[in-house]
Amino acid sequence: MDMRNDVAEILYTEDQLAEIVARMGRQISEDYRDKNLFMISVLKGSLIFMADLMRAVTIPCSIDFLSVSSYGAGTTTTGAVRILKDLDDSLEGKDLLIVEDILDSGVTLSFLMKNLSARNPRSIRLCTLLDKPERRKVDIHADYVGAQVPDEFIVGYGLDYAEKYRNLPYIGVLKPEIYQN
Ligand code: IMP
Ligand code: MG
């Protein structure tokens, strides 16, 4: 069984992703030159993006990971978000960059912005590899966006459907028949 057969269309190849991430890394390195960059990866979807992005950043940075409740195996949000795995240290005086795989309804990131802002960081910004603006339910936009994607279910490069397809090296649209039965 080859996962690649479940992909209807490739949206971004490995080479295109490398180019997108390099551009984002350059911009972040410039914007945070005189700051105390602290990159926070939202698990598990941003794992691969985070690993590549931090290596495209040329200034010193520290990192941590957190994870929030997901919506289970479904493809739409329930609206309730909880922190399942929290950060190790205080955020005081740090310039936070939240690193996400995809901004969809915006419910997850608006919850995280509120939660992390309350911990007195010096600044807080959002970085998402993908943006699906058509599906937004709350008013939120990312400071750094890799690429916009259509309102379809996206997998690969960290993004999953029911915990599968994260290890596809490119980003593609999942065939609807995979999740519609
Ligand atoms: P939001 O709270 O609706 O913005 O959803 C954000 C989270 O939902 C992301 O971090 C993903 O884990 C998941 N998600 C949303 N859309 C997709 C998709 O097309 N493919 C895979 N995961 C998705
Ligand atoms: Mg996810």
Side-chain angles (χ1 to χ4, degrees):
M1 187 262 167
D2 191 325
M3 294 182 293
R4 292 174 294 186
N5 298 329
D6 296 348
V7 174
E9 183 198 351
I10 295 177
L11 294 179
Y12 295 99
T13 64
E14 288 187 71
D15 285 350
Q16 289 170 324
L17 288 169
E19 230 170 86
I20 289 168
V21 173
R23 171 177 53 77
M24 297 177 91
R26 273 196 301 275
Q27 186 67 52
I28 291 163
S29 304
E30 191 172 315
D31 295 351
Y32 284 83
R33 212 172 32 219
D34 303 314
K35 297 196 166 148
N36 188 10
L37 175 58
F38 186 61
M39 297 172 71
I40 298 176
S41 158
V42 186
L43 293 170
K44 301 168 205 170
S46 74
L47 159 78
I48 295 173
F49 175 45
M50 175 75 165
D52 285 345
L53 181 65
M54 65 186 282
R55 284 178 292 179
V57 165
T58 52
I59 57 167
C61 73
S62 38
I63 63 163
D64 203 354
F65 302 86
L66 60 74
S67 90
V68 293
S69 53
S70 71
Y71 324 142
T75 56
T76 51
T77 179
T78 58
V81 186
R82 262 178 334 118
I83 292 190
L84 300 178
K85 194 185 335 252
D86 209 340
L87 302 168
D88 291 340
D89 299 314
S90 151
L91 298 181
E92 230 146 304
K94 294 176 180 166
D95 294 300
L96 309 190
L97 185 63
I98 304 178
V99 179
E100 245 296 29
D101 53 357
I102 186 167
L103 179 52
D104 185 27
S105 73
V107 170
T108 307
L109 280 176
S110 70
F111 164 84
L112 276 181
M113 284 290 271
K114 240 177 251 147
N115 184 289
L116 299 178
S117 300
R119 305 186 201 184
N120 295 318
R122 189 158 63 185
S123 67
I124 178 162
R125 283 186 180 175
L126 294 181
C127 172
T128 186
L129 175 64
L130 304 176
D131 188 9
K132 217 194 257 180
E134 283 167 63
R135 299 238 311 169
R136 205 74 89 247
K137 285 203 193 107
V138 297
D139 183 26
I140 187 168
H141 63 271
D143 302 280
Y144 303 94
V145 176
Q148 294 208 346
V149 288
D151 184 10
E152 288 178 286
F153 204 78
I154 311 300
V155 292
Y157 197 70
L159 289 101
D160 71 307
Y161 171 66
E163 296 301 325
K164 261 171 63 180
Y165 308 104
R166 294 194 197 276
N167 56 322
L168 279 173
Y170 47 77
I171 283 183
V173 175
L174 189 64
K175 288 183 180 165
E177 64 254 37
I178 305 293
Y179 55 87
Q180 276 167 1
N181 53 42

